[in-house]
C-alpha cells in the first residue's frame, strides 16, 4: 500500500507538469483485431455507432486517385466507435484504423484503394474472446473475415506534457510525420520522426487532451518511444481519469451503461446522421429528447480537512448529496485519490463540500467538469461552478 501511494503521488505530479515532455505507454489492456473482405464496411456500418463509411471515402474525394510508390501516402484518421446491444446499452468500444492509401506495405507492395479493405481495431483485452464471438455471430453470409492479430500488433498511447496545448495544425503535422514509410527517400528519414515499420501515430479521435494513439507491430519499437518517456499504463489511466474519460467494458459497464451518459457523443463515437445500427433507436430517442440528466465526471476523494485520501473508495460506492439527502450517483472507477463517477448534474455541483460516500464517514467527493465538455451540457450557473 505504501509503495502504491508513493508511485501514485510521483506519477500524478509528473502528469500535471508541463515542464516535462509527453509520456508513452504500451496499452496491455487493449488487443488488436483485423476486419478484412469486400463486405467489411457494410458489415461494420450496420453494427457500430459511428459512420464507418468514411473509411471508404478518399480524402481527395476523387475516383481518379491512383496509388503510387512515387506519391506521398494519404492518411485516413482513425475513428472511435461503440458496439451496443439491441436495447442501446454499451457492450464494447473500438478504435478503428486504416493504413494510409498509397503507403508502402511491409512486404514492399503498395496498398490499393480498390478491392478488399482491411481495418484494424484496438479493443478491450478483457473481453476479446467474447467480442470476437459476438462479431462472428452477426457475420452470417457477409464476406468479412475477423481475425485476432494481438500477437502481431500492439496499441500505444502518447499523452501528457504539452501535447494538448499544440494547435490542431501542429499536432496533425506531427502525427502524420511519425512512424510511416516514406515513398521516396528512406535514408533521409529522421530517427526521431519515424522508422520503417509502416505504421504511425494519430491524434486520439476522442479529444485533443488525450494525445496520440497508434497501432504498431509488436516486434518493433514505435517512433518517439525512448527509455526516458516510456511509462506504466497506470499513468495513462490516471491521465484519462483526470480528463474524465472512461475506456473499455469495465469502466463503461458492459450491458448496463447508457452511451450518452458516458459522454460518447462528445468523444466523437456516435454519428446521428448515419443509418440504422444495433441499438440506434434508443440512442436517437435519448438524443432527441435533448436532456441528459446524468453524466460521467472526474472525481477527487478528500477527508474533512480537504486533504486527498487514497485507496478508501472503490467502484460501486454510492455518492450522497448531504445538502439534499439524495443519492446522486455512484463511482465507476477509482484509483488512489481519483476516480470517475456517473452523477446527476443538477445535484453534483450544488454546494461546495456537500458530496460524500454512503457508509464511509469523513470522506468527501469533489466532482470536476472536464475542460473539454461542450458548454451546452451545462446551464449558465453550472458552468461557472463546475469548471476544473
Amino acid at each position: 500500500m505504501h509503495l502504491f501511494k508513493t508511485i501514485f503521488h510521483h506519477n500524478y505530479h509528473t502528469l500535471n507538469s508541463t515542464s516535462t515532455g509527453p509520456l508513452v505507454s504500451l496499452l496491455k489492456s487493449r488487443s488488436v483485431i483485423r476486419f478484412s473482405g469486400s463486405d467489411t464496411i457494410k458489415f461494420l456500418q450496420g453494427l457500430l455507432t459511428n459512420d464507418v463509411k468514411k473509411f471508404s471515402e478518399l480524402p481527395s474525394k476523387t475516383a481518379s486517385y491512383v496509388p503510387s510508390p512515387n506519391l506521398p501516402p494519404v492518411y485516413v484518421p482513425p475513428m472511435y466507435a461503440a458496439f451496443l446491444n439491441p436495447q442501446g446499452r454499451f457492450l464494447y468500444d473500438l478504435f478503428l484504423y486504416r493504413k494510409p492509401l498509397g503507403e508502402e506495405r511491409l512486404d514492399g507492395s503498395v496498398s490499393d484503394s480498390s478491392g478488399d479493405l482491411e481495418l484494424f481495431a484496438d479493443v478491450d483485452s478483457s473481453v476479446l474472446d467474447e467480442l470476437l464471438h459476438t462479431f462472428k455471430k452477426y457475420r452470417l453470409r457477409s464476406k468479412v473475415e475477423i481475425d485476432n492479430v494481438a500477437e502481431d500488433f500492439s496499441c500505444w498511447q502518447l499523452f501528457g506534457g504539452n501535447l494538448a496545448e499544440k494547435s490542431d495544425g501542429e499536432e496533425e503535422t506531427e502525427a502524420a510525420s511519425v512512424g510511416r514509410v516514406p515513398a521516396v527517400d528512406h535514408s533521409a528519414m529522421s530517427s526521431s520522426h519515424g522508422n520503417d515499420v509502416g505504421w504511425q501515430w494519430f491524434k486520439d479521435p476522442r479529444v485533443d487532451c488525450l494525445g496520440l494513439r497508434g497501432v504498431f507491430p509488436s516486434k518493433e519499437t514505435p517512433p518517439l518511444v525512448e527509455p526516458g518517456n516510456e511509462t506504466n499504463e497506470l499513468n495513462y489511466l490516471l491521465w484519462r481519469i483526470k480528463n474524465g474519460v472512461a475506456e473499455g467494458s469495465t469502466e463503461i459497464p458492459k450491458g448496463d451503461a447508457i452511451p450518452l451518459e458516458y459522454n460518447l457523443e462528445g468523444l466523437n463515437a456516435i454519428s446521428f446522421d448515419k443509418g440504422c445500427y444495433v441499438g440506434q433507436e434508443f440512442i436517437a430517442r435519448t438524443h432527441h429528447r435533448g436532456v441528459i440528466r446524468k453524466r460521467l465526471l472526474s472525481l477527487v476523494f478528500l477527508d474533512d480537512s480537504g486533504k486527498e485520501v487514497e485507496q478508501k473508495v472503490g467502484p460501486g460506492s454510492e455518492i450522497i448529496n448531504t445538502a439534499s439527502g439524495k443519492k446522486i450517483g455512484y463511482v465507476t472507477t477509482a484509483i488512489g485519490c481519483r476516480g470517475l463517477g456517473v452523477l446527476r448534474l443538477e445535484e453534483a455541483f450544488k454546494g461546495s463540500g456537500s458530496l460524500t460516500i454512503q457508509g464511509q464517514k469523513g470522506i468527501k467527493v469533489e466532482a470536476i467538469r472536464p475542460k473539454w465538455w461542450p458548454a451546452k451540457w451545462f446551464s449558465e450557473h453550472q458552468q461557472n461552478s463546475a469548471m476544473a
Side-chain angles (χ1 to χ4, degrees), residues 127-144:
V127 293
L128 175 59
D129 292 340
E130 177 189 315
L131 179 147
L132 289 170
H133 175 76
T134 304
F135 271 113
K136 290 177 181 179
K137 181 179 68 175
Y138 279 95
R139 180 170 54 182
L140 301 178
R141 296 184 180 180
S142 297
K143 295 178 181 179
V144 56

Side-chain angles (χ1 to χ4, degrees), residues 113-171:
S113 61
S114 61
D116 292 354
L117 174 69
E118 283 188 341
L119 291 180
F120 291 77
D122 77 69
V123 301
D124 187 339
S125 297
S126 69
V127 293
L128 175 59
D129 292 340
E130 177 189 315
L131 179 147
L132 289 170
H133 175 76
T134 304
F135 271 113
K136 290 177 181 179
K137 181 179 68 175
Y138 279 95
R139 180 170 54 182
L140 301 178
R141 296 184 180 180
S142 297
K143 295 178 181 179
V144 56
E145 295 298 324
I146 308 164
D147 300 306
N148 178 0
V149 293
E151 293 291 326
D152 302 315
F153 296 93
S154 301
C155 181
W156 293 73
Q157 189 87 18
L158 186 70
F159 60 98
N162 63 351
L163 274 179
E165 298 174 1
K166 295 182 180 181
S167 67
D168 287 345
E170 291 174 323
E171 199 164 284

Side-chain angles (χ1 to χ4, degrees), residues 26-281:
L26 169 64
L27 304 186
K28 295 180 181 179
S29 65
R30 308 294 292 188
S31 294
V32 181
I33 63 175
R34 179 178 59 207
F35 301 93
S36 59
S38 57
D39 289 340
T40 294
I41 295 296
K42 180 181 178 181
F43 173 72
L44 293 176
Q45 185 74 354
L47 294 178
L48 303 183
T49 57
N50 218 331
D51 190 359
V52 186
K53 281 187 176 180
K54 292 181 179 179
F55 282 113
S56 64
E57 300 171 358
L58 295 177
S60 59
K61 296 183 180 180
T62 174
S64 63
Y65 174 78
V66 179
S68 168
N70 298 316
L71 294 176
V74 177
Y75 293 94
V76 181
M79 178 180 295
Y80 186 50
F83 189 173
L84 313 180
N85 66 18
Q87 292 73 43
R89 299 314 197 260
F90 177 91
L91 290 179
Y92 319 111
D93 62 354
L94 303 89
F95 293 81
L96 295 163
Y97 308 82
R98 179 176 181 177
K99 286 193 66 175
L101 302 174
E103 184 178 38
E104 188 174 322
R105 294 181 182 269
L106 298 181
D107 61 5
S109 63
V110 177
S111 62
D112 200 316
S113 61
S114 61
D116 292 354
L117 174 69
E118 283 188 341
L119 291 180
F120 291 77
D122 77 69
V123 301
D124 187 339
S125 297
S126 69
V127 293
L128 175 59
D129 292 340
E130 177 189 315
L131 179 147
L132 289 170
H133 175 76
T134 304
F135 271 113
K136 290 177 181 179
K137 181 179 68 175
Y138 279 95
R139 180 170 54 182
L140 301 178
R141 296 184 180 180
S142 297
K143 295 178 181 179
V144 56
E145 295 298 324
I146 308 164
D147 300 306
N148 178 0
V149 293
E151 293 291 326
D152 302 315
F153 296 93
S154 301
C155 181
W156 293 73
Q157 189 87 18
L158 186 70
F159 60 98
N162 63 351
L163 274 179
E165 298 174 1
K166 295 182 180 181
S167 67
D168 287 345
E170 291 174 323
E171 199 164 284
E172 290 286 5
T173 299
E174 180 176 358
S177 68
V178 297
R180 71 185 189 202
V181 177
V184 181
D185 188 359
H186 290 262
S187 63
M189 180 178 294
S190 165
S191 61
S192 65
H193 283 158
N195 53 30
D196 60 355
V197 300
W199 295 80
Q200 71 169 87
W201 291 102
F202 288 97
K203 185 167 70 172
D204 192 299
R206 294 169 293 181
V207 287
D208 290 350
C209 62
L210 294 180
L212 307 179
R213 195 177 184 101
V215 165
F216 298 91
S218 298
K219 295 181 180 179
E220 303 284 348
T221 300
L224 305 182
V225 177
E226 301 171 355
N229 71 348
E230 186 174 356
T231 186
N232 191 285
E233 185 178 352
L234 172 66
N235 274 329
Y236 170 58
L237 171 58
L238 293 172
W239 184 252
R240 283 195 291 101
I241 286 176
K242 177 179 180 291
N243 287 285
V245 177
E247 183 176 300
S249 299
T250 300
E251 296 177 30
I252 311 174
K254 181 171 63 73
D256 182 58
I258 296 175
L260 298 186
E261 292 185 351
Y262 281 76
N263 306 323
L264 292 191
E265 174 190 0
L267 295 172
N268 298 312
I270 300 174
S271 169
F272 294 103
D273 300 322
K274 63 173 288 186
C276 295
Y277 56 87
V278 177
Q280 182 263 348
E281 183 178 350

